[in-house]
Amino acid sequence: ELQKSAREKKEWKLKCAQAEAEVRALKAHRRRVGLQPAADPDPVALAEDNAALQAKLEAVRAEAMQDHAEEIGALAQVLGEAKLETDQRAARCEALEAELRAATQ
């Protein structure tokens, strides 16, 4: 039992040494190719960035809604003017038809 435990301990030490050597080799490779080790993201900074991006998104949405509201208002005005002109033409046509009927009777 003690021999097994000593052997397992030796195997684990060897595996740890191999893993550490692999890590050193990877770090050296990253330095050679110019990669910096990735830092853990700062949760506070991420939250602040997220809040800033959310505020920008809301501002863009509000601006887009304002632009669309102005376009809709302009279209409503054009349609209102076109309806008024159409109603005036229809009234003139009815008046001319009435005159024509009166003249032909």
Side-chain angles (χ1 to χ4, degrees):
E1 192 71 32
L2 289 176
Q3 287 178 343
K4 184 179 178 184
S5 176
R7 188 177 62 237
E8 287 176 353
K9 188 175 181 181
K10 213 181 247 189
E11 288 174 2
W12 276 107
K13 281 186 177 182
L14 179 61
K15 286 181 181 180
C16 286
Q18 289 172 340
E20 289 171 351
E22 287 177 21
V23 168
R24 283 192 302 274
L26 287 171
K27 285 182 178 179
H29 175 72
R30 288 176 65 90
R31 279 192 301 275
R32 281 193 303 275
V33 297
L35 294 174
Q36 298 298 320
D40 289 336
D42 178 17
V44 173
L46 288 176
E48 290 171 353
D49 289 348
N50 187 35
L53 289 172
Q54 192 69 29
K56 287 180 184 178
L57 176 63
E58 291 302 321
V60 168
R61 281 185 181 158
E63 184 179 335
M65 292 296 284
Q66 180 65 31
D67 289 348
H68 290 302
E70 290 172 4
E71 290 173 4
I72 290 170
L75 288 173
Q77 182 178 355
V78 168
L79 289 174
E81 291 170 359
K83 183 185 179 310
L84 178 62
E85 185 179 324
T86 301
D87 290 346
Q88 289 171 347
R89 285 183 182 172
R92 278 194 304 253
C93 285
E94 287 176 7
L96 288 173
E97 286 176 354
E99 284 181 30
L100 183 60
R101 279 194 299 272
T104 56
Q105 287 181 354

